Amino acid sequence: MDKHHVIPLITEAEIAARMATLAREIAASVGTDIMVVSLLKGSFMFTADLIRALHHAGVRTQVDFMTLSSYGARTESSGSVNLAGDMGGDISGKDVLIVDDILESGRTLDFAARTLKARGATTVKIAVLLEKPGKLQVPMEADFIGFTIPDKFVVGYGLDYANHYRELPYVGVVSTP
Ligand code: 5GP
Ligand code: MG
C-alpha cells in the first residue's frame, strides 16, 4: 500500500465540528430515543463519533450493526447488495436511524431501509457521513448528510480501499504517484 498517497479532503477538525451540528439536526427531527443501525464495515468510526455527539445533544441511543457489502476490493460498486452479517436485536416499534458511510448508487441504503421497514420499525431515517451527488441508480435520499463530496473514490475515517486506510482520522482521496 506504500505506493499510494492519500490527499486529505475533509480534515479531522472539520469532521468533529460537523458531528456536533449533525447531532443537533438529528435530535431536533428524530427525537430523543433512537435505535441506531450502523452499516459495517465503513460506518464504524462515524457511528462511534455520532452516538457520542447525540449523547451531548440529549439523545439516548441503542446501537446495532448489519454488515452489507457491495464493493469487494474494487472501486466500482458491483451492483448487488449482500447481507453478510445480520443484527441481533428486535427493531419493531422503534425509531430507527440507519447510519452509513457514503451514499453513492443508493443500493445499499435502499436495501437496508426496505429490510428494516419490513421488520416493523416505526420510522426509518438515514444519516450518511458523505454523499456523492449525481450517481443514484435507485431513488434514495438521506435525511441527514455530513458532507457532499466530488465524484472521487475516498478513504479514511472508516472507509477503505481493499480493507486499508480505515484508520485515518480524516477523509482523503487515494492517488497513485
Ligand atoms: P452505494 O450502495 O450507495 O452505491 O454505495 C454505498 C457503499 O459503497 C458505501 O457504504 C461504501 O461501502 C461504498 N463506497 C461508495 N463510494 C465509496 C468511496 O468513494 N470510497 C469507499 N471506500 N467506499 C465507497
Ligand atoms: Mg459500506
Side-chain angles (χ1 to χ4, degrees):
M1 301 307 283
D2 52 7
K3 289 215 184 79
H4 299 92
H5 288 288
V6 181
I7 301 157
L9 185 66
I10 307 169
T11 66
E12 203 172 350
E14 286 167 339
I15 293 171
R18 183 69 184 108
M19 209 58 56
T21 57
L22 198 56
R24 286 196 290 272
E25 291 171 27
I26 293 168
S29 106
V30 183
T32 53
D33 232 308
I34 300 176
M35 177 77 219
V36 170
V37 178
S38 170
L39 306 187
L40 296 174
K41 301 175 187 170
S43 71
F44 75 94
M45 204 176 282
F46 176 39
T47 302
D49 284 342
L50 184 64
I51 62 175
R52 282 179 285 184
L54 285 168
H55 166 78
H56 289 304
V59 178
R60 282 157 32 107
T61 57
Q62 293 175 291
V63 187
D64 216 327
F65 300 90
M66 281 169 94
T67 303
L68 301 183
S69 61
S70 61
Y71 257 59
R74 288 167 296 148
T75 58
E76 286 295 321
S77 180
S78 68
S80 65
V81 179
N82 174 41
L83 177 55
D86 206 349
M87 53 191 289
D90 179 19
I91 54 145
S92 61
K94 293 184 175 165
D95 292 315
V96 170
L97 180 70
I98 300 174
V99 176
D100 202 8
D101 51 1
I102 180 164
L103 170 56
E104 189 175 24
S105 75
R107 289 195 194 96
T108 303
L109 283 164
D110 179 62
F111 179 92
R114 281 174 194 278
T115 301
L116 298 178
K117 278 176 195 157
R119 292 180 184 178
T122 303
T123 61
V124 175
K125 297 225 170 157
I126 293 170
V128 292
L129 176 71
L130 306 171
E131 178 197 41
K132 278 187 205 171
K135 304 212 74 186
L136 287 180
Q137 300 290 323
V138 296
M140 172 52 60
E141 211 178 323
D143 301 282
F144 310 98
I145 297 164
F147 302 91
T148 299
I149 61 166
D151 183 13
K152 295 207 154 78
F153 188 78
V154 293
V155 298
Y157 197 68
L159 290 100
D160 74 307
Y161 173 65
N163 218 18
H164 287 274
Y165 302 118
R166 295 192 195 275
E167 74 279 15
L168 300 179
Y170 56 88
V171 173
V173 178
V174 181
S175 79
T176 27

